Each structure stands twice: as C-alpha cells, then as structure tokens.
C-alpha cells in the first residue's frame, strides 16, 4: 500500500506550505449520449445465519402514493434481491482490485427511492444510468469524459459524479523517480435527465500549473480514490492527492488527501470550515459523510503516519493499527445518538470503532475475518457490515448505538470488490453494485428493509 515516490518522502505533511488555487472548472452544458438500455433479470434470496431461505416477493416498480418512495417490502430478517442489469456497453473489470486501479462502478440513492448507477467504460468515458424501484435501467444512459470513476451522489434535482480526467505534468524536473501520469479530479453536476449542468475541478492543475510544478495538487498512479457527501446544498469531495513541493532546483512528489466543497452553482465554497488543502499523510481509504446533527462533514482515513485510522485536519487518532501492510479503512456511518462508527481491518480481523471527535470509545471485534470490510446505514438505528466470503459476500446487521449484532450472518450473492461501496436508502434498504454475468452487465444486490 505504501509506494516509493520521487525524492525524499516526508512522514508528516504539516510543514508543507499550503497552496490555494481553484483551477479550471467552468460551468458547461450538455453531455454526450451513451448507451441504450438492455434487459434486466431479477432474483431474490432470503438468508439468516448464512443459509438460504424462501424467496421474497420483489413487488412492482410502482411508487408509493403516500411518501413518493419505492414500495419495497420489509421483513423480520434480511432478504437480498439480486438484479442483473444489462447496460449495453463494456464495463471495466475488477482487475486486481488494488488501491491504485480503476473503480468499475458506483451507485447513489435518489430521494424518490430509485438510483443512479455509474460505471467506467473501456473507452475513456464514465457512464450514468437511472434505475427504477425494481433496479431496472430506465431510458438511455449518458456518458462523460473520464478515465477513472470515483463516486456518485444524488439529490432531488439530479446529482454529482466524481471522476478523473487526463492532465499535464510539465517538466519539473523531478528530484528523482517518476510519478506520471498527472491527472485531475472533477465533480460533474447532472440533472434528472442525466445531462451535465456544470463541471468543477477539485485538484488545481491548469494551463500554467502542471503536476511537476511547485504547489500542484493532482491525481497520479498512487492511491487516488475518493468519495462524495452533501449537506443538501453543497457537495464535498474527499480524495487522495499528489502534492508537489520545491526542493532546490527540482521538485518532490508527496502524497496525502484533500477535501474540497463545491456550491450549487459549481464554484468552490470559499472558507468552508471543513475543507482543506492537505489532511492525512500517505493516505488511503478516504471516507466522508455529512452530519446534520453537528452541521459538519466528518471524515476518516487510513494512513501510514503512525499506521492508524485517523481524522484529518487536524490529525486525531481514531484507532491505532500496525505497519504490516494489512491496515484497511472501511466505511463511515452515523451512530445512533451521537458520533460515528467506522469499520476497519488489521491482519484480517474486522473491527467496528465508535468515536466522536477523537479516539475511539468503543471497539467491537466482529466475527468477520476479511481484509476489506464495508459498512453502511441500514434503516433506523442499524448498520450493515459486509465482507468478502469465498466467491460472494457475507453480511450482518449491527445496532448503531451499542455495536451489538442484530440477527445472524447472511449471504449476499454477488462478487465483492475491495473499494466499491454499499449505499443506504431512505426506505431502510441498502444496495451494492458488483460485476455482472458478462462484460456489459452489472449485478446489483439490494438488502431489503427490516421491520422496526
């Protein structure tokens, strides 16, 4: 997880001078058309304690007149519905699932209960399609220029997709080694038809600033995945970033993470109190959420700075780990009452830690043995932990207040990916996009809601 970089690598970036530049990212209209729709196939499975149970009725795609949401049935134990979505275009494969490799797909919940499904094509484009209540593709997909997909987030008027585009390095020169390529990170705002409304670069490269110029913040081959969150008006991107620092007659390239907030018109929000130029040093697994109770964005990273799960800006240790190349930061969810739960793994042991503004006050050593856990909110007062188990995934619900298990383990019959995420839905369900049956399909797993 820790790779050699050009020149001398610093262990902490507190001494790195901040460089503030918004970079290009002008509002733009329109987006190229993508693929059409294909056929979808749905199957259901019910399981508790790891065994398959009777099929659950998937119901229709009709919207509920009472609340405008999807009419998904709730049960007393988790029911998993798997839908194969034929997207009609080639989807980037899983590869080795490394922290520097492309992310194939991501999903976002809409307020009405449907979804936006994003996937990385094999042609230098990121595709976006809308799913109905039964997780079927509706209408034609659109696409945007992009060499790497990061995340997608939705609201009542559309949403935002976070993606990477090609940039320029310039000459430097580097003090040693190589960090090519020098790419950029962008938010793309889209409307409810999937059309681009604006774009905003959240790195800072431009015509006069390349990746090998002092003060550059760019995306390189090193870990660069990112996540989105929204306060309902603005969007925040938290992602790993390369940091260029002058060193005499040459430049060194360091690595950390960065958080930027963009307003509803596509401009960076000046002086936003939670944003920062550089947070964790040698960061990977950047996770973010909006906390309406505090009015702040909350974040955690995995970092080789003391090998820990930490909060950035300023550094605060959440959970102490070890420098054995097995430290992995899972996801971040709101706890019941106050604070947060984060899932993480060390040496294959999955843990849940509760914290507020610093060190963990509760640690749960779960029964899960895995290298890459996932965590997502799962209805009122619950959260869902999932992890790779053979050729599929295992999962278990937990109380979001106490951290105690709720029911037994069950199977989610899709392939795991180390860096893809479950997303929570207002009806209490959670969905996960996974590799499909062939190169032009995506298999969507939905864990249906539980009764109160």
């Amino acid at each position: 997880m820790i790779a050699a970089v050009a020149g001398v690598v610093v262990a902490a970036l507190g001494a790195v001078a901040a460089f503030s530049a918004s970079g290009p990212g002008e509002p733009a209209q329109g987006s190229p058309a993508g693929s059409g729709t294909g056929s979808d196939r749905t199957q259901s499975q019910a399981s508790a304690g790891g065994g398959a149970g009777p099929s659950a009725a998937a119901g229709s795609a009709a919207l509920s007149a009472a609340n405008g949401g999807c009419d998904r049935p709730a049960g007393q134990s988790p029911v998993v519905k798997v839908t194969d979505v034929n997207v009609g275009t080639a989807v980037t494969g899983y590869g080795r699932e490394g922290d520097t490799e492309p992310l194939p797909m991501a999903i976002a919940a809409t307020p009405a209960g449907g979804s936006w499904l994003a996937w990385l094509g094999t042609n230098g484009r990121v595709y976006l399609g809308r799913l109905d209540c039964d997780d079927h593709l509706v209408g034609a997909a659109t696409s945007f220029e992009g060499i790497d997909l990061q995340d997608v987030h939705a609201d009542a008027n559309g949403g935002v997709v976070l993606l990477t585009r090609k940039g320029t390095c310039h000459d430097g020169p580097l003090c040693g080694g190589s960090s090519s390529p020098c790419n950029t990170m962008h938010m793309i705002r889209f409307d409810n038809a999937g059309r681009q409304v604006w774009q905003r670069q959240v790195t800072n490269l431009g015509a006069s600033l390349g990746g090998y110029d002092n003060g550059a913040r760019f995306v390189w081959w090193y870990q660069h995945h990112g996540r989105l969150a929204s306060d309902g008006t603005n969007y925040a991107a938290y992602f790993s970033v390369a940091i260029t620092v002058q060193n005499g007659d040459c430049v060194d390239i360091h690595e950390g993470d960065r958080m930027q907030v963009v307003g509803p018109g596509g401009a960076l929000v000046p002086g936003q109190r939670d944003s920062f130029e550089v947070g964790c040093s040698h960061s990977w697994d950047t996770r973010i959420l909006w906390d309406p109770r505090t009015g702040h964005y909350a974040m955690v990273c995995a970092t080789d700075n003391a090998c820990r799960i930490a909060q950035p800006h300023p550094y605060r240790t959440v959970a102490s780990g070890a420098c054995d190349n097995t430290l992995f930061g899972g996801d971040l969810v709101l706890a019941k009452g106050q604070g947060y739960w984060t899932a993480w793994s060390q040496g294959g042991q999955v843990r849940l830690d509760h914290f507020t503004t610093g060190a963990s006050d509760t640690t749960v050593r779960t029964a899960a043995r895995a290298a890459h856990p996932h965590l997502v909110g799962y209805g009122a007062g619950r959260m869902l932990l999932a992890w790779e188990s053979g050729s599929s995934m295992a999962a278990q619900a937990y109380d979001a207040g106490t951290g105690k298990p709720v029911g037994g383990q069950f199977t989610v019959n899709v392939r795991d990916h180390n860096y893809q995420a479950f997303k929570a839905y207002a009806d209490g369900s959670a969905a996960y996009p996974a590799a499909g049956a062939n190169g032009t399909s995506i298999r969507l797993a939905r864990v249906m809601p539980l009764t109160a």
Side-chain angles (χ1 to χ4, degrees), residues 412-435:
V412 180
N413 194 24
V414 296
R415 282 183 58 194
D416 179 53
H417 186 287
N418 298 345
Y419 293 93
Q420 288 175 181
F422 276 86
K423 296 293 180 69
Y425 287 68
D427 64 3
S429 65
Y432 182 85

Side-chain angles (χ1 to χ4, degrees), residues 327-403:
L327 176 64
F328 180 86
D331 297 290
L332 182 66
V333 302
L334 293 174
K336 185 164 54 179
Q338 65 176 357
Y340 317 95
W341 287 96
T342 187
W344 63 289
S345 182
Q346 182 88 66
Q349 170 66 61
V350 177
R351 301 163 172 85
L352 295 171
D353 270 274
H354 178 272
F355 68 97
T356 51
T357 59
S360 166
D361 54 38
T362 304
T363 298
V364 177
R365 294 176 68 92
T366 74
R369 298 290 300 179
H372 308 96
H374 310 276
L375 189 66
V376 65
Y378 184 42
R382 289 183 294 267
M383 53 190 176
L384 185 68
L385 179 69
W387 61 95
E388 184 177 43
S389 178
S391 59
S392 61
M393 302 175 74
Q396 188 167 19
Y398 285 80
D399 187 283
T402 64

